[in-house]
Amino acid sequence: MSGWWAYLEERTCREVDADVLRDRRLSAVRSVWEALRPLGVHVSPGASVLNMPDNRCVSPRGGLVLCEDGSGTEYVHGFTTRGEVFPFAANDADLTGGTAGKNVAVGDYRGSEWAGSCFEPQEDDWVFVNIQSPGITFAITGPWVDGGL
């Protein structure tokens, strides 16, 4: 395996895999970060790449989904097992025209932070991402096997 995953000890890789299978993904992410920190491996050199990511989840294939909490346009990024970071989704939730049939306050929410993500656990076909204000969830479908996540 190449990239950041290759930096992990075999024991850590087994622990991360077991945590993901038991749906203890937060433990898996914590194990990865703790193993990479002493090696000087970092996800982002600055806000131009990742702007204060504070929510993350491990994909079923070992990539990471990172949600920004910075300023300006907020993004969800993917972080592949090869160490590549890429923008995955931008918050473009301008609801100033209203939302037909939905109980969401009218407003421009493009500056609102992404507030978490998770993969659907059974078939793995969907990733769900949330925007903190006005408190809405988006469901995005794959095919994830063909991409970096």
Side-chain angles (χ1 to χ4, degrees):
M1 190 121 346
S2 63
W4 64 269
W5 190 257
Y7 288 103
L8 302 179
E9 294 179 4
E10 184 178 336
R11 181 175 148 256
T12 302
C13 291
R14 284 194 310 267
E15 288 173 3
V16 168
D17 287 341
D19 284 341
V20 170
L21 288 173
R22 286 189 216 114
D23 202 24
R24 294 188 341 213
R25 295 177 184 182
L26 183 59
S27 296
V29 170
R30 187 174 297 120
S31 295
V32 169
W33 288 135
E34 292 302 316
L36 293 178
R37 183 180 296 135
L39 300 170
V41 177
H42 302 285
V43 173
S44 175
S48 63
V49 176
L50 284 172
N51 193 357
M52 299 177 65
D54 67 348
N55 289 282
R56 56 205 172 266
C57 79
V58 178
S59 80
R61 283 149 302 283
L64 296 175
V65 177
L66 305 163
C67 299
E68 287 187 336
D69 179 15
S71 59
T73 303
E74 301 288 325
Y75 290 92
V76 173
H77 290 274
F79 184 53
T80 72
T81 57
R82 296 177 304 282
E84 301 160 340
V85 177
F86 61 93
F88 175 69
N91 176 358
D92 195 26
D94 182 357
L95 306 177
T96 54
T99 54
K102 303 295 179 193
N103 188 19
V104 176
V106 172
D108 185 347
Y109 298 102
R110 290 178 287 189
S112 184
E113 72 173 275
W114 292 100
S117 60
C118 66
F119 281 83
E120 181 272 323
Q122 298 301 315
E123 298 297 323
D124 195 29
D125 295 341
W126 297 87
V127 64
F128 299 96
V129 292
N130 306 292
I131 291 180
Q132 188 172 47
S133 293
I136 54 178
T137 301
F138 299 90
I140 305 169
T141 188
W144 307 112
V145 177
D146 297 335
L149 296 174

